[in-house]
Amino acid sequence: MASKTVLQLKSIERHYGEGDMMLSILKDADFELRSGETVALVAPSGTGKSTLLHLAGLLEHPDGGEVIIGGKSCNGLSDDERTAIRRSEIGFVYQFHHLLPEFSALENIMMPQLIAGLREAEAKERAAQLLDYMRIGHRGDHRPAELSGGEQQRVAIARAVANAPRVLLADEPTGNLDPKTASYVFDALEALVRQSGLAAMIATHNHDLAARMDRRVTIDGGRVVDF
């Protein structure tokens, strides 16, 4: 059965500044992401990787073109509507885990579910399942400072998918980890994508991890191209 396109960027333009000082980052950029696939975004610093992720995640507005998530155009949506889509359709993982230090691993994963209106008992059950899936169920009561770097990032991944989004966007999710831990964290992430049918776009400088993904893309002259 063919996988479904869940994210489309059509003829995206993004620039900063004005007039002679204008810097074009993305120019007529097109990209598609399908359910169940992992795509590595590999490009030198300053070429627009983070900008592309921010546009795909509705954190920035394009200067031209269209962002389509789940078949729905996001052009012209209000800030509240964009926020609602981010909460329900998109999960984010960053290089720094950004876990809430005063809460346990379990509570960090429960948080986005509670914000979305899920009952506490259901949020707790879902969080516990995700911790087990990420092989750190025994660490649920521990706060971030009591976890290793790899464990913290696995909690961050579990939190990102707690609301069952269509799309997972990750910006250097293993950038602060040693090679062995990075590989282990990616194993867990990849298994989660396959099991859930998520679509994942992962910006990384780690070419070994990039080679394990379904596709690799880069940004060349402001456009997204496969390589």
Side-chain angles (χ1 to χ4, degrees), residues 36-169:
E37 76 167 345
T38 55
V39 175
L41 175 58
V42 183
S45 298
T47 56
K49 294 195 307 296
S50 293
T51 296
L52 186 68
L53 289 171
H54 289 170
L55 290 167
L58 305 184
L59 295 172
E60 292 186 31
H61 292 265
D63 295 303
E66 188 176 23
V67 178
I68 300 170
I69 297 176
K72 179 180 179 180
S73 175
C74 298
N75 284 21
L77 296 180
S78 68
D79 288 343
D80 286 345
E81 289 171 326
R82 291 168 67 87
T83 297
I85 291 175
R86 281 197 301 272
R87 287 178 178 169
S88 63
E89 304 285 355
I90 304 168
F92 296 92
V93 181
Y94 300 99
Q95 182 173 354
F96 301 99
H97 52 77
H98 297 299
L99 298 175
L100 299 172
E102 66 271 30
F103 294 105
S104 69
L106 185 76
E107 290 166 339
N108 266 277
I109 301 169
M110 290 173 62
M111 198 64 63
Q113 301 177 77
L114 296 175
I115 292 172
L118 201 65
R119 292 188 305 167
E120 183 176 350
E122 293 175 310
K124 186 174 183 178
E125 181 179 4
R126 166 75 169 161
Q129 290 172 346
L130 285 168
L131 282 171
D132 285 340
Y133 196 83
M134 301 301 284
R135 300 182 181 179
I136 48 174
H138 61 295
R139 305 290 272 165
D141 292 334
H142 291 72
R143 294 186 179 184
E146 301 171 311
L147 303 175
S148 70
E151 288 170 339
Q152 290 173 357
Q153 199 62 313
R154 276 182 276 167
V155 173
I157 292 168
R159 180 183 60 183
V161 301
N163 285 337
R166 297 175 189 261
V167 177
L168 181 68
L169 303 174

